[in-house]
Amino acid sequence: MSETRVRIAPSPTGDPHVGTGYIALFNYCLAKKDGGKFILRIEDTDQSRCSKESENMIFDSLRWLGLEWDEGPDIGGEYGPYRQSERLDIYKKYANELVEKGHAYQCFCSKERLDQIRKVQTSANRPTGYDGQCRRLSSEEAKSKIDNGEAHVIRMKIDRTDGAQTSFYDEIRKKDICYQNKEIDDQVILKGDGFPTYHLASVVDDYLMKITHVIRGEEWMTSTPKHILLYQYFGWDIPKFAHLSLLRNADKNKSKISKRKNPVSLTWFRACGYMPHVMINFFALMGYHAQDEEKFTIDTITKSFDFNNFGTSSPAFDFIKLNNLNGLYLREGSQEEFISYICQKDKDQADYLKSILAIIQERVDQDHPFQYWVETFFKRALVYSKEEFDAIKREPAEISKVLKDLAKYLEKLQVTNEQELKEAIMGFQEKSGFSSKQYMMTVRVSTLEKKYSLPLFESLWVIGKDGVTQRLKQAKDFLNQK
RNA sequence: GCUCCGGUCGUCUAGCGGUUCAGGACGCCGCCCUUUCACGGCGGUAACGUGGGUUCAAAUCCCAUUCGGAGUACCA
């Protein structure tokens, strides 16, 4: 039996996600249990969304949790590079190999045509997917188009022989999951910009990096047959697959946990004073069961690790339970541990505090002491009052509408500095239909709770775009319940 | 719509055909401790989605149905 090798393969877009920590934990524990290797691979194949800062935050967060990797972009390893953007030639080579073998083909269809196909399929209540137009192109035709400089991607050519199916065994569900090939789309594996899509990149890398177990979130289950097919087309051994159930929002809908409804960033949990071993214990409580006791550490999870111990239904991420756990650990720790916890927490928050202090220093007076200004920055649930909103001089319903639209608008935006955030918010005023004065007051009261508050954009930048969006929604909810 | 996955207290879960009118934890309620709050202790509340089978016996097996989730991108 070969050495166990597992990986966590996050995409460096935005803040490091709790789900990454959750999945990383179990990968890590399997590796440790088997005396194998835990690998960190950065999946930065989406040029438009990935950033270096995000990558660094992933490193920090994973280390904070105590999940140190054996091979990775920052420490190297035998099978590097571990950043997919540095492996482009490899993917290109394998994509071409598939074309030569007849398992993939060039596709020249425009975005517009693809959208059109999807639109027609959707409105006809038909399954969506590529219609296979370029599949019929001969290699000569394709070649001449390429020579003409026509833009193209490479798609998998799924074997659609009647009755053909693709299946895999899921270690957690303990059964074969089977798909009819005709249901599998001719997935793009190499994009127009020469970057691979996730599907190609992860299969190629998992193979080259000798990954033995793919432990990932359930959201990948439906694309697994594509991956299986890729392994088969290449003639490679297929690793074991285990799909962990998804963490869900605790509200009624129980959708996949998302930042729209909950804090999901590991940096947020850290800044809020949740301790890393508490997060670990909590993760283990979500769908893992190996003992009567609820206490879990990386060590006990490792020792008990078994795919039989995982639940198959998706748990809700319950903050009340998390808070309780954090308190439990805090209370039973030694005073030394408590002291270091407080110091650590303050250190994490020092920068935050510093940026707030910079704004409030010149404003503190007898009527408005330190606490008056600083309060709102440390609240998660804001406390609004109707009177503050009166200053806007518009109907609550109108204000609520603006808040909703603005939040939606901001959500989709990427901002990297205060100026951009300011421009984004200012830029929306015209769409709001409010006067500039009304609009600014709307933003102010919604985000800072009071009309008498700190310089707006400086404060908002400290709170951060996601925080601002959350606050706008809270304000909207407040107004709607009136 | 289509495909796949799932369904035990409000939440996380135990349960793998009889020992369970379903056990634990968090929450909630009550009592005790206590100058307050918290902690702690004690007690209570509350669940097998529905309908059919199989079986002497089903939360546990099978089928259907329903509800929930995921996927359905030149995002991961």
Side-chain angles (χ1 to χ4, degrees):
Chain A
M1 189 60 191
S2 57
E3 177 191 52
T4 294
R5 292 174 58 83
V6 295
R7 45 60 165 192
I8 180 74
S11 182
T13 56
D15 289 348
H17 199 276
V18 269
T20 302
Y22 175 68
I23 304 285
L25 168 65
F26 295 110
N27 273 284
Y28 179 92
C29 290
L30 204 220
K32 293 304 142 189
K33 170 160 184 159
D34 289 357
K37 294 286 192 306
F38 172 59
I39 293 134
L40 172 63
R41 184 172 72 218
I42 295 295
E43 309 232 327
D44 52 351
T45 54
D46 185 342
Q47 294 184 90
S48 64
R49 300 198 310 154
C50 294
S51 76
K52 210 74 195 171
E53 302 84 77
S54 178
E55 183 182 301
N56 286 328
M57 287 196 284
I58 290 171
F59 294 166
D60 286 350
S61 298
L62 252 23
R63 289 204 164 102
W64 172 67
L65 286 172
L67 305 174
E68 192 73 41
W69 45 99
D70 301 301
E71 298 169 24
D74 57 335
I75 56 171
E78 211 182 318
Y79 301 90
Y82 293 89
R83 230 176 322 247
Q84 292 187 328
S85 59
E86 294 165 12
R87 301 168 65 81
L88 265 27
D89 292 344
I90 301 175
Y91 309 124
K92 201 162 287 181
K93 169 178 157 246
Y94 282 106
N96 287 135
E97 181 184 324
L98 244 33
V99 173
E100 278 159 31
K101 283 182 169 172
H103 288 127
Y105 58 95
Q106 286 89 187
C107 171
F108 302 87
C109 294
S110 67
K111 184 98 177 56
E112 290 69 36
R113 191 176 106 79
L114 262 20
D115 288 344
Q116 183 59 25
I117 296 172
R118 194 170 308 118
K119 223 172 105 188
V120 171
Q121 289 166 333
T122 310
S123 59
N125 277 341
R126 298 260 61 214
T128 54
Y130 182 57
D131 66 355
Q133 176 170 281
C134 294
R135 210 177 146 126
R136 293 184 279 274
L137 259 31
S138 69
S139 52
E140 291 72 31
E141 287 172 306
K143 189 170 184 314
S144 84
K145 275 171 176 287
I146 295 169
D147 291 342
N148 267 338
E150 283 190 43
H152 66 279
V153 301
I154 294 181
R155 288 181 183 276
M156 288 176 74
K157 188 186 260 175
I158 307 289
D159 168 20
R160 293 188 199 287
T161 315
D162 243 10
Q165 47 185 223
T166 301
S167 64
F168 65 94
Y169 182 78
D170 187 275
E171 298 294 330
I172 288 175
R173 270 148 261 277
K174 291 268 170 272
K175 64 179 204 179
D176 283 314
I177 313 285
C178 185
Y179 296 81
Q180 299 300 315
N181 279 16
K182 63 176 195 293
E183 288 153 7
I184 305 173
D185 196 13
D186 277 1
Q187 184 64 235
V188 171
I189 54 176
L190 201 71
K191 301 187 255 188
D193 61 4
F195 276 61
T197 57
Y198 170 86
H199 308 285
L200 208 222
S202 79
V203 167
V204 166
D205 287 347
D206 286 345
Y207 168 72
L208 294 175
M209 294 177 185
K210 297 198 160 52
I211 299 301
T212 54
H213 303 253
V214 174
I215 305 174
R216 75 220 307 195
E218 196 187 342
E219 73 258 48
W220 293 110
M221 193 139 56
T222 43
S223 41
T224 304
K226 289 168 189 168
H227 305 164
I228 300 288
L229 252 15
L230 285 173
Y231 282 104
Q232 290 174 352
Y233 292 161
F234 283 120
W236 295 338
D237 285 344
I238 298 172
K240 294 192 163 159
F241 287 94
H243 292 96
L244 256 34
S245 20
L246 264 16
L247 265 17
R248 323 239 303 259
N249 293 311
D251 64 16
K252 295 275 174 292
N253 296 330
K254 301 240 293 174
S255 49
K256 176 162 80 164
I257 193 166
S258 65
K259 65 178 169 195
R260 323 231 144 159
K261 295 185 171 163
N262 281 304
V264 294
S265 151
L266 287 170
T267 49
W268 182 89
F269 285 94
R270 184 176 181 179
C272 284
Y274 292 102
M275 298 180 283
H277 55 289
V278 170
M279 296 306 292
I280 295 289
N281 194 149
F282 184 69
F283 288 152
L285 254 21
M286 303 275 93
Y288 186 78
H289 180 89
Q291 58 193 28
D292 284 339
E293 234 205 321
E294 285 203 345
K295 286 275 185 64
F296 279 102
T297 61
I298 290 180
D299 206 43
T300 58
I301 301 165
T302 299
K303 288 206 173 78
S304 67
F305 191 96
D306 190 312
F307 285 119
N308 287 313
N309 293 154
F310 290 90
T312 47
S313 60
S314 301
F317 193 101
D318 184 7
F319 278 85
I320 295 173
K321 180 77 176 182
L322 212 212
N323 292 157
N324 176 272
L325 256 193
N326 206 52
L328 204 66
Y329 277 102
L330 231 34
R331 265 173 261 131
E332 65 172 36
S334 66
Q335 193 177 56
E336 282 69 35
E337 285 166 327
F338 183 57
I339 290 170
S340 87
Y341 162 74
I342 293 295
C343 295
Q344 179 60 45
K345 191 178 167 201
D346 280 355
K347 191 169 139 268
D348 286 340
Q349 291 208 137
D351 289 343
Y352 188 55
L353 195 60
K354 236 183 248 174
S355 45
I356 296 165
L357 255 24
I359 316 176
I360 69 172
Q361 190 164 9
E362 53 196 33
R363 271 164 253 266
V364 172
D365 61 23
Q366 288 309 307
D367 291 336
H368 303 93
F370 173 74
Q371 200 206 348
Y372 173 88
W373 301 111
V374 87
E375 224 176 17
T376 193
F377 290 97
F378 292 91
K379 280 186 194 163
R380 196 144 74 80
L382 302 194
V383 182
Y384 295 106
S385 81
K386 172 101 181 38
E387 290 65 41
E388 299 286 345
F389 281 98
D390 286 344
I392 300 165
K393 301 200 177 74
R394 298 289 290 226
E395 288 302 314
E398 295 179 298
I399 300 171
S400 156
K401 170 89 170 59
V402 170
L403 292 175
K404 186 182 161 199
D405 294 343
L406 175 59
K408 214 167 153 187
Y409 170 75
L410 282 181
E411 233 161 32
K412 283 184 279 197
L413 240 51
Q414 283 241 330
V415 294
T416 55
N417 58 47
E418 185 185 324
Q419 189 56 28
E420 283 178 26
L421 180 67
K422 178 175 176 179
E423 279 162 15
I425 293 176
M426 297 281 273
F428 193 80
Q429 186 233 316
E430 210 169 312
K431 291 184 200 121
S432 75
F434 279 20
S435 74
S436 154
K437 205 171 165 182
Q438 292 168 336
Y439 176 73
M440 296 309 277
M441 189 52 83
T442 299
V443 175
R444 176 176 291 282
V445 174
S446 303
T447 51
L448 301 177
E449 301 171 293
K450 296 161 185 159
K451 60 183 176 187
Y452 185 52
S453 43
L454 295 170
L456 189 57
F457 295 109
E458 279 176 64
S459 308
L460 296 190
W461 179 241
V462 168
I463 292 167
K465 194 206 81 171
D466 291 346
V468 169
T469 314
Q470 285 233 352
R471 284 172 180 231
L472 294 173
K473 286 182 177 170
Q474 284 188 43
K476 181 203 76 184
D477 292 341
F478 170 77
L479 290 171
N480 287 348
Q481 77 193 12
K482 286 273 141 184

